[in-house]
């Protein structure tokens, strides 16, 4: 049942898939609801795996009493219907799924990334506003640029412009400090 | 905090929440999306009102202050005005939710009607390519089946629908609040031509009553049948009351600092406050203009909306409260 997101009143059939804003029957808020066939699709029930019928049959690696239904696409272990995880037309065992997530082998399971290019540029930029912190931040930024140059950045492909800018700003800050200290030494 | 963006993948939508150099990802597969719902909100209007008021305020300050401050206030006013213009160009705001079988997620990046409608129009054929087209009659049929199965379930008194949970509210406190607001506007208007201790006392009493009324009204309107614009007006009244209290406090402190010899004499302080007029300086004029505009802009429309609301709900209220309908029920069979 599709409801108004404000007053939680179920919407009329006429209010759905209108491609335009229509008032909610209860709170009168203009609302547009696009409904798709998945709303009426029954959720697939989970498989439990079939028990072994004879000794000739291959068994699941994780459940020796269950019949193997498929082999893991990553490690090749036999899996019963219960252990089989279908992901993007690949059959994976729970261990490979976990490994793929932690080691970032399966891109679709990744849910967090640190973008070191943004961090480096932010540190370089913010510290330059206060001048004095740059004496510490500039070497840190340079280290970050070199250390994480090849590290995966955002999941959305983008250029290395942030790293380049951070490197330039930090380089200029270091040159500035060298000039300041050089001037002080000579005077 | 942070920035939300929405990206279209081969078989899914990707929502990225970026903050402080880290990114969190959420994927919604086209095959799993059950519905996308967008609802127009008043956030944009409130933003326009606030930025407009601030721009006006700083323009007034710029007009009344001396050269250095005038330039500063003018720059601030121009900056706020540009924000207002951008906000107007971006159009009305909305809230968008995406439904799957296991979650209802807010799509934070789809917060403007124009963009959201364009995105929804773009996504519709893509999602239908994955799920197939849903004919309107199919939906009606499914809904009928669903309601049919629901009817078979035994009805219990503990499962009322969301719509019936809302309590009926007559709006008496709201009436008092908006009437007080309008009356306060009248007092402020009189203050432009007349200063008197009695007027100050009356203004203070009205403000105090407004403070009480607005809290009671907010409590009463919660989960009630009151219409959305009326509720918004009550929230605006709360903002105005808070603003007035803060301004009164600042003015009192300012007067106390200017006249330290009469700080301990309350009567002298009240007389001093009552002697201040909007014509004394630019700040007083600005505050009085804001007070007058807010009182008239919230009080009068509030009364009008309440009148309409009470008109439409009165017949139902009478039938429900009438002794005949309860005491002598008519047999229909």
């Amino acid at each position: 049942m599709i409801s108004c997101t404000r007053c939680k009143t179920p919407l009329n059939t006429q209010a759905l898939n209108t491609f335009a804003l229509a008032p909610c029957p209860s709170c009168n808020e203009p609302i547009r609801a696009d409904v798709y066939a998945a709303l009426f699709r029954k959720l697939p029930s989970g498989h439990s795996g079939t028990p072994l019928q004879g000794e000739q049959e291959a068994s699941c690696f994780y459940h020796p009493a269950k019949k193997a239904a498929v082999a893991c696409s990553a490690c090749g272990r036999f899996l019963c219907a219960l252990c089989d995880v279908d992901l993007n037309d690949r059959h994976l065992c729970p261990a490979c799924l976990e490994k793929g997530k932690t080691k970032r082998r399966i891109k679709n399971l990744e849910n967090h990334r640190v973008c070191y290019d943004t961090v480096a540029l932010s540190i370089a930029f913010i510290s330059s506003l206060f001048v004095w912190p740059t004496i510490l931040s500039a070497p840190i930024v340079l280290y970050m640029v070199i250390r994480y140059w090849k590290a995966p950045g955002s999941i959305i492909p983008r250029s290395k412009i942030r790293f380049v800018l951070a490197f330039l700003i930090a380089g200029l800050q270091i040159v500035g400090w060298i000039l300041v200290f050089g001037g002080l030494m000579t005077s | 905090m942070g920035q939300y963006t929405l990206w279209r993948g081969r078989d899914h939508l990707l929502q990225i929440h970026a903050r402080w150099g880290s990114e969190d990802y959420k994927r919604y597969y086209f095959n799993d999306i059950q519905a996308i719902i967008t609802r127009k909100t008043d956030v944009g209007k409130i933003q326009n009102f606030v930025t407009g008021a601030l721009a006006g305020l700083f323009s007034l300050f710029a007009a009344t202050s001396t050269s250095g401050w005038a330039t500063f206030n003018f720059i601030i006013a121009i900056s706020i005005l540009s924000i207002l213009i951008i906000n107007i160009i971006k159009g009305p705001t909305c809230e968008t939710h995406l439904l799957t079988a296991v979650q209802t997620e807010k799509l934070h990046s789809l917060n403007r009607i124009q963009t959201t409608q364009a995105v929804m129009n773009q996504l519709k054929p893509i999602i239908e390519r994955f799920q197939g087209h849903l004919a309107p009659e199919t939906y009606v049929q499914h809904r009928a089946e669903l309601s049919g199965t629901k009817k078979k379930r035994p009805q219990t008194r503990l499962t009322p629908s969301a719509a019936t949970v809302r309590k009926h509210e007559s709006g008496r406190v709201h009436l008092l609040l908006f009437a007080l607001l309008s009356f306060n506007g009248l007092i402020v208007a009189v203050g432009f031509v007349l200063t008197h201790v009695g007027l100050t006392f009356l203004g203070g009493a009205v403000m105090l009553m407004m403070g009480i009324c607005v809290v009671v009204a907010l409590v009463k309107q919660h989960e009630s049948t009151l219409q959305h614009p009326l509720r918004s007006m009550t929230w605006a009244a709360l903002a105005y009351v808070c603003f007035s209290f803060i301004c009164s406090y600042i003015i009192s402190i300012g007067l106390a600092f200017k006249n330290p010899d009469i700080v301990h004499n309350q009567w002298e302080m009240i007389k001093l406050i009552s002697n201040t007029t909007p014509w004394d300086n630019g700040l007083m004029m600005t505050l009085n203009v804001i007070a007058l505009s807010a009182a008239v802009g919230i009080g009068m429309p509030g009364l009008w909306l309440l009148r309409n609301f009470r008109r439409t709900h009165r017949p139902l209220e009478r039938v429900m409260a009438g002794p005949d309908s309860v005491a002598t029920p008519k047999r229909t069979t």
Side-chain angles (χ1 to χ4, degrees), chain B residues 11-27:
Chain B
D11 58 350
H12 66 277
L13 277 179
L14 175 71
Q15 181 169 250
I16 302 180
H17 180 205
R19 60 186 191 286
W20 308 115
S22 77
E23 289 183 347
D24 291 316
Y25 309 118
K26 275 186 182 174
R27 291 171 186 83

Side-chain angles (χ1 to χ4, degrees), chain A residues 115-172:
Chain A
C115 303
Y116 291 101
D117 53 349
T118 313
V119 175
L121 185 62
S122 305
I123 293 173
F125 181 73
I126 293 166
S127 63
S128 15
L129 297 175
F130 303 99
V131 184
W132 289 107
T134 54
I135 201 163
L136 279 173
S137 68
I140 294 171
V141 170
L142 284 183
Y143 169 77
M144 282 181 80
V145 172
I146 296 161
R147 168 73 178 77
Y148 297 109
W149 182 264
K150 283 187 178 175
S154 171
I155 204 160
I156 304 297
R158 62 186 189 193
S159 67
K160 300 268 184 195
I161 187 72
R162 287 172 181 79
F163 267 142
V164 174
L165 279 174
F167 187 84
L168 284 175
I169 294 171
L172 283 172

Side-chain angles (χ1 to χ4, degrees), chain B residues 91-210:
Chain B
T93 50
C94 65
E95 249 183 30
T96 310
H97 290 84
L98 185 145
L99 267 72
T100 67
V102 291
Q103 62 185 344
T104 301
E105 282 287 334
K106 189 176 175 182
L107 300 177
H108 295 267
S109 56
L110 297 182
N111 55 8
R112 297 280 172 174
I113 283 284
Q114 288 167 11
T115 321
T116 307
Q117 298 246 48
V119 170
M120 285 170 87
N121 292 341
Q122 271 182 28
L123 287 177
K124 194 158 181 67
I126 300 167
I127 297 172
E128 283 182 348
R129 204 170 65 223
F130 279 83
Q131 298 184 13
H133 179 67
L134 178 71
E137 57 271 16
T138 319
Y139 181 76
V140 175
Q141 187 191 336
H142 277 290
R143 188 161 174 159
E145 279 172 16
L146 206 65
S147 55
T149 52
K150 272 191 178 176
K151 273 177 191 169
K152 285 172 193 168
R153 289 179 193 165
Q155 293 274 333
T156 58
R157 292 181 71 184
L158 293 171
T159 55
S161 71
T164 54
V165 170
R166 292 174 154 242
K167 62 178 185 284
H168 177 73
E169 173 55 42
S170 62
R172 279 195 202 106
V173 185
H174 288 77
L175 179 70
L176 184 62
L177 172 69
F178 294 130
L180 282 170
L181 261 165
S182 306
F183 187 57
N184 185 54
L186 188 71
I187 294 170
V188 174
V190 171
F192 276 81
V193 289
L194 183 75
T195 55
H196 195 269
V197 180
L199 207 64
T200 310
F201 270 115
L202 191 63
V206 167
M207 278 305 294
L208 200 66
M209 281 175 73
M210 264 163 46

Side-chain angles (χ1 to χ4, degrees), chain B residues 250-320:
Chain B
I250 291 168
I251 290 166
S252 312
I253 295 288
L255 285 174
F257 271 103
K258 272 188 179 174
N259 306 280
D261 48 322
I262 58 159
V263 170
H264 300 292
N265 191 335
Q266 286 295 310
W267 176 244
E268 287 297 324
M269 272 296 286
I270 290 165
K271 278 210 291 186
L272 190 67
I273 290 167
S274 65
N275 282 333
T276 53
T277 66
W279 312 104
D280 287 349
N281 54 48
L283 180 70
M284 286 300 292
M285 173 60 85
T286 311
L287 294 178
N288 274 278
V289 167
I290 291 171
L292 190 62
S293 334
V296 175
I298 301 167
M300 298 286 186
L303 283 173
W304 182 73
L305 284 169
L306 199 65
R307 183 174 144 265
N308 287 351
F309 171 75
R310 285 167 80 98
R311 264 187 187 177
T312 51
H313 285 73
R314 192 174 289 165
L316 184 65
E317 194 182 337
R318 276 185 182 168
V319 170
M320 285 169 77

Side-chain angles (χ1 to χ4, degrees), chain A residues 6 11 32 41 110 112 115, chain B residues 21 24 27 31 143 228:
Chain A
R6 186 171 175 272
L11 296 175
R32 172 180 168 176
R41 201 170 51 202
E110 230 184 311
H112 182 82
C115 303
Chain B
D24 291 316
R27 291 171 186 83
N31 206 25
R143 188 161 174 159
H228 181 58

